[in-house]
């Protein structure tokens, strides 16, 4: 069967991991690599020998005519790059967020549908077995649900440089928040109705209108509520930087991560679980718990690279087997709508009705 020729644009942490996935998976062939100042990246020539390299995305598209494009660039380029790929007749894998605005995201989704091309967005937690189990257990806890999540990152050096660059176009609660708000939507299956958020600028190293700490609250039409907190920078605390739990009338489920194993800005820590702790709320006539807490070990969970491979296997399946991705895309737009509403709330002080 003919291999899918992929142009990979953007070769930071995620782009490089996706390029390695295309290299490893039978069914893909890397048609080319594209990144600004790619000539300075000597390690790419060693790892991907004989793969054409480009500084300019439009030039690469025209020269290679790829079957698919993998977009892993800065967020403010996503919508434009996706549009160019679809107009060139290529399927698209794109890192989150899909676009800067909901209207742009909807336009991209409509263009993919009109062209009969596949669009897959990088929601990595959806291919993570531990997070899939977390969602499944959360659905057994009754309604309403209380969902508490954060991902604070104490970044320095190159990691802080990446975060500062990201904040030229996106805030922490938007960039990372789409993943965890998506989890909330999956668990509740409910319609979000309102969002309120606050933010703070804790450093003079970013634009005066940007904030590097944010905290959002979202309410759903089934009575469920959730919060998500994200902060980036050398000032962030590593105490309780990774909180992921859900509470319902029947009990709770929490992701337990051994803090000694990782650091908050390490990309592997953002999906790592170690174990799920399931708590059952039922009491006996004496007022004691009927069932002790259950620990579901996740020692053999996939690492970051394996998760990227799984995302690309999903992309391959979508293309090869004409898998319907419309619900996947609509879910991505839904979570984007919520976090962009939160960003608006930070900037205006208003509760946003969805």
């Amino acid at each position: 069967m003919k291999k899918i020729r992929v142009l990979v644009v953007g070769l930071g942490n995620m782009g490089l991991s996706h390029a390695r996935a295309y290299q490893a998976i039978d069914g893909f062939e890397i048609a080319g690599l594209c990144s600004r100042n790619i000539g300075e990246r000597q390690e790419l020539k060693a790892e991907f020998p004989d793969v054409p390299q480009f500084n300019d995305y439009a030039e690469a598209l025209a020269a290679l005519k790829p079957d698919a494009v993998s977009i892993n660039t800065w967020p403010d380029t996503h919508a434009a790059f996706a549009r160019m790929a679809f107009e060139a007749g290529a399927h698209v894998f794109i890192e989150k967020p899909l676009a800067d605005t909901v209207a742009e995201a909807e336009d991209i989704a409509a263009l993919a549908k009109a062209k009969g091309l596949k669009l897959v967005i990088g929601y990595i937690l959806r291919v993570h077995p531990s997070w899939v189990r977390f969602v499944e257990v959360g659905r057994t806890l009754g309604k309403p649900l209380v969902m508490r999540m954060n991902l604070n990152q104490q970044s320095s050096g190159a990691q802080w440089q990446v975060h500062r660059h990201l904040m030229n176009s996106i805030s922490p609660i938007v960039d990372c928040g789409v993943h965890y708000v998506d989890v909330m939507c999956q668990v509740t299956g409910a319609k979000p109705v309102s969002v309120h958020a606050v933010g703070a600028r804790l450093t003079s190293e970013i634009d005066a209108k940007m904030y590097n700490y944010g905290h959002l609250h979202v309410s759903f039409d089934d009575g469920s509520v959730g919060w998500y907190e994200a902060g980036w920078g050398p000032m962030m605390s590593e105490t309780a930087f990774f909180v992921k739990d859900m509470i319902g009338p029947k009990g709770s489920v929490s992701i337990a991560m051994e803090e000694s194993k990782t650091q908050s800005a390490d990309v592997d820590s953002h999906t790592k679980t170690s174990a799920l702790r399931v708590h059952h709320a039922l009491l006996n006539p004496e007022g004691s718990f009927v069932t002790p807490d259950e620990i579901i070990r996740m020692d053999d969970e996939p690492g970051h690279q394996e998760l990227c491979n799984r995302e690309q296997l999903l992309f391959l399946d979508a293309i090869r087997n004409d898998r319907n991705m419309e619900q996947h895309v609509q879910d991505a737009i839904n979570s984007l709508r919520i976090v962009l509403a939160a960003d608006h709330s930070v900037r205006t002080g208003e509760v946003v009705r969805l």
Side-chain angles (χ1 to χ4, degrees):
M1 189 178 293
K2 180 179 177 289
K3 291 190 175 185
I4 306 298
R5 298 173 59 254
V6 186
L7 166 62
V8 183
V9 54
L11 291 156
N13 282 336
M14 296 307 298
L16 189 56
S17 293
H18 292 313
R20 288 168 177 158
Y22 299 126
Q23 190 174 55
I25 295 170
D26 184 25
F28 283 118
E29 174 187 334
I30 302 178
L33 302 174
C34 181
S35 180
R36 287 179 298 180
N37 304 315
I38 197 167
E40 300 172 10
R41 301 280 300 274
Q42 295 301 316
E43 78 281 7
L44 294 178
K45 293 178 181 176
E47 187 169 356
F48 304 96
D50 304 320
V51 174
Q53 296 188 359
F54 296 83
N55 285 298
D56 184 82
Y57 174 53
E59 179 187 340
L61 265 181
L64 297 172
K65 296 180 173 55
D67 303 310
V69 175
S70 179
I71 299 170
N72 314 282
T73 49
W74 299 112
D76 55 359
T77 65
H78 284 187
F81 280 17
R83 188 173 289 109
M84 290 168 67
F86 286 133
E87 293 293 356
H91 304 285
V92 169
F93 173 87
I94 190 167
E95 268 302 329
K96 51 78 186 167
L98 177 54
D100 284 340
T101 68
V102 172
E104 277 186 323
E106 289 175 335
D107 285 347
I108 295 302
L111 181 59
K113 186 174 182 179
K115 295 282 188 180
L117 295 164
K118 298 304 176 184
L119 172 61
V120 174
I121 303 111
Y123 277 55
I124 198 167
L125 300 185
R126 286 189 164 217
V127 299
H128 193 311
S130 302
W131 281 84
V132 170
R133 185 73 181 276
F134 183 55
V135 168
E136 289 172 350
V137 175
R139 289 171 174 164
T140 70
L141 301 176
K143 293 286 189 75
L145 286 167
V146 173
M147 297 161 288
R148 311 188 302 163
M149 303 189 191
N150 73 358
L151 182 58
N152 292 315
Q153 298 181 55
Q154 186 186 92
S155 56
S156 60
Q159 291 165 328
W160 176 226
Q161 184 178 349
V162 168
H163 282 154
R164 290 203 312 271
H165 201 138
L166 273 168
M167 285 184 284
N168 287 334
S169 60
I170 198 167
S171 72
I173 60 169
V174 173
D175 181 70
C176 296
V178 289
H179 287 306
Y180 304 105
V181 167
D182 179 57
V183 169
M184 296 179 193
C185 293
Q186 287 182 67
V187 174
T188 62
K191 180 181 178 182
V193 293
S194 67
V195 181
H196 177 251
V198 295
R201 180 174 175 261
L202 301 174
T203 175
S204 61
E205 294 184 57
I206 60 175
D207 187 273
K209 295 181 180 179
M210 182 52 73
Y211 53 98
N212 67 309
Y213 171 85
H215 189 288
L216 69 84
H217 287 184
V218 56
S219 300
F220 294 85
D221 66 358
D222 65 351
S224 297
V225 295
W227 62 253
Y228 175 70
E229 172 195 57
W232 295 339
M235 75 296 294
M236 294 306 301
S237 167
E238 288 205 331
T239 300
F241 71 84
F242 186 97
V243 175
K244 306 288 188 305
D245 65 11
M246 296 182 277
I247 305 160
K250 297 180 182 179
S252 62
V253 58
S254 308
I255 292 180
M257 187 179 66
E258 296 178 42
E259 293 186 19
S260 61
K261 286 187 176 181
T262 189
Q263 294 179 314
S264 61
D266 175 18
V267 68
D268 280 309
S269 74
H270 302 172
T271 54
K272 191 169 185 59
T273 58
S274 294
L276 300 182
R277 177 182 286 273
V278 183
H279 170 67
H280 303 280
L282 184 64
L283 301 175
N284 62 25
E286 290 73 41
S288 300
F289 289 114
V290 172
T291 308
D293 286 4
E294 177 186 1
I295 304 298
I296 303 173
R297 296 299 307 180
M298 297 296 178
D299 294 326
D300 59 348
E301 68 174 12
H304 175 74
Q305 184 58 55
E306 172 58 27
L307 291 170
C308 290
N309 290 8
R310 292 183 185 207
E311 285 190 288
Q312 299 313 325
L313 287 169
L314 172 63
F315 189 35
L316 182 65
D317 178 52
I319 297 169
R320 282 269 174 87
N321 299 315
D322 193 24
R323 179 168 173 168
N324 189 326
M325 301 304 294
E326 286 190 29
Q327 189 61 55
H328 166 88
V329 173
Q330 288 307 310
D331 288 348
I333 294 173
N334 187 42
S335 62
L336 181 64
R337 177 179 286 108
I338 294 168
V339 296
L340 288 177
D343 183 70
H344 180 75
S345 179
V346 169
R347 298 175 188 282
T348 64
E350 299 173 354
V351 175
V352 179
R353 305 293 174 183
L354 296 166

